[in-house]
Amino acid sequence: MTPVPLRVLLLIPGGLALLAGLDAALLLLGLPAPIDTARLPEIHGIVLVLGFVGTVVALERAVALGRRAGYLAPLLLGVGGIVMVSPAPQNISGVLLFAGTAALVAVYVPLWRRAADPAVLVQAGGAVLGAGSALLWLAHIPVPQLLPWLCTFLILTIAGERLELARVATLGTRAEPLLVAISCAIVAGTVGTLLWPSAGYPLLGAALLALVAWLARFDVARRTVRAAGLTRYMAVSLLAGYCWLMVPALTWLLVGVVPSGPGYDAVVHSVMLGFVISMIMAHAPVILPAVVRRPLPYTPLLYGPVVLLHLSLLLRIAVGDVRGIDPAVTAGGALGVVAILAFAVVAAGSSLRPARQEVPA
């Protein structure tokens, strides 16, 4: 059996941040939760984006860099997430999260020097926005105003990874410079949402629509969805996630800022669950083995959490938010929590099961 590397320990704080975020989600839905504290609902979004996803992203980038210094970013973000849910003052966790995102930005410098890759440039832009969101949160800017920063940190990171993983399909095209241009517009729109909201939100919405169009045109998933096994599973998860990205794009383009209410709920969860979690589910069989040095064999059971996730979002957003039916929001939110936990269980079971890893096309 392949020995588990010590870097896997850095996933533990990220996993705890995920559990804390899901616990907070239940509290916000008015449902019973294992831990009931006043702090958790206040940090729900930050602990999931920076404490959980930020740690996972930083760890994957540190593995790609292959230097010990790179692991400072996931360490700081993971510890920051744990401190955030503890009774310690929030400023301490804010400093740790900002330091972690700044360290993540620094990781992209040697990666860029190693190869002046547009994919690295796009991801670095996302990391800069992530550091900006941590700094603004440390300055006590309300989370609704930080939402575009938190979203685009993850969106650009994923877009850069899609360019890396699907580069074969973009050879001989203008895909790379086009994605860089779209990413610059996303960064400009994100900054504009804070400084000039009336112009920033429509610009960001238009840029996100351009990104969806880029993914529809160049991402290999639209062809590999006709394959079988792991390849098709990844493609289905990716394409479903891309559809949800149109919700914030159209909302911000046509409506502008939505600071609260059903519209805010729809934007938040279409990005964070519909897009980001769907991307995590899609990439897990490829990314996790590189991090933990243990295969995650494909099993059709992986479809179960993916289907449940998207059905829960349809119930929450299309029925609950759009039609103003609160029980649908509650039920959809609860099913979303179940989908994420179910994916963790299925992935863990598949990883422990001896099987040969299928390499996606």
Side-chain angles (χ1 to χ4, degrees):
M1 180 181 296
T2 304
V4 178
L6 289 177
R7 62 173 178 254
V8 175
L9 296 176
L10 294 175
L11 285 174
I12 296 176
L16 293 175
L18 172 62
L19 293 177
L22 296 179
D23 188 285
L26 294 175
L27 293 176
L28 289 169
L29 291 167
L31 297 173
I35 300 176
D36 187 354
T37 66
R39 171 172 286 192
L40 282 177
E42 297 175 356
I43 62 170
H44 169 59
I46 299 293
V47 74
L48 283 175
V49 174
L50 298 181
F52 166 53
V53 185
T55 298
V56 174
V57 167
L59 181 57
E60 190 272 334
R61 290 292 84 190
V63 172
L65 179 61
R67 299 180 187 176
R68 289 184 178 180
Y71 293 98
L72 180 62
L75 176 62
L76 289 170
L77 287 167
V79 173
I82 291 177
V83 172
M84 193 187 313
V85 300
S86 74
Q90 287 295 330
N91 285 343
I92 297 177
S93 61
V95 170
L96 289 169
L97 292 175
F98 174 66
T101 51
L104 176 60
V105 174
V107 166
Y108 287 105
V109 175
L111 287 175
W112 174 260
R113 290 175 177 171
R114 180 184 298 173
D117 189 342
V120 173
L121 189 62
V122 171
Q123 293 177 73
V128 169
L129 294 176
S133 68
L135 183 60
L136 292 169
W137 186 69
L138 182 59
H140 305 292
I141 300 298
V143 171
Q145 292 180 251
L146 296 182
L147 180 62
W149 295 72
L150 296 169
C151 291
T152 52
F153 160 45
L154 302 181
I155 289 170
L156 288 183
T157 298
I158 292 167
E161 288 184 347
R162 288 311 303 158
L163 182 58
E164 283 184 335
L165 296 174
R167 178 152 279 148
V168 172
T170 63
L171 293 176
T173 70
R174 296 183 178 180
E176 293 187 358
L178 183 57
L179 181 59
V180 171
I182 293 172
S183 301
C184 290
I186 289 175
V187 171
T190 301
V191 175
T193 60
L194 196 62
L195 301 178
W196 308 283
S198 60
Y201 278 95
L203 173 59
L204 179 57
L208 290 180
L209 277 181
L211 177 60
V212 173
W214 186 94
L215 291 167
R217 169 63 179 84
F218 295 109
D219 198 294
V220 70
R222 66 191 183 94
R223 291 189 289 273
T224 57
V225 73
R226 295 188 290 270
L230 174 60
T231 304
R232 184 173 188 176
Y233 161 78
M234 292 180 65
V236 168
S237 302
L238 291 167
L239 294 174
Y242 298 159
C243 292
W244 284 111
L245 195 56
M246 296 183 66
V247 174
L250 291 172
T251 301
W252 287 336
L253 175 62
L254 302 177
V255 180
V257 58
V258 183
S260 61
Y264 179 78
D265 184 81
V267 168
V268 169
H269 295 95
S270 62
V271 176
M272 300 303 178
L273 293 181
F275 180 71
V276 174
I277 296 299
S278 190
M279 297 301 105
I280 291 175
M281 291 179 172
H283 290 148
V286 174
I287 299 298
L288 283 182
V291 173
V292 304
R293 292 182 185 171
R294 185 173 183 83
L296 178 56
Y298 166 75
T299 168
L301 293 176
L302 288 171
Y303 276 105
V306 173
V307 172
L308 181 59
L309 174 71
H310 294 289
L311 287 178
S312 74
L313 281 169
L314 285 173
L315 177 61
R316 178 172 191 156
I317 295 175
V319 179
D321 290 329
V322 174
R323 297 182 178 274
I325 303 176
D326 291 338
V329 174
T330 303
L335 289 175
V337 172
V338 172
I340 294 172
L341 293 176
F343 178 80
V345 171
V346 172
S350 178
S351 180
L352 294 174
R353 174 173 58 89
R356 185 176 180 178
Q357 174 74 2
E358 178 187 351
V359 179

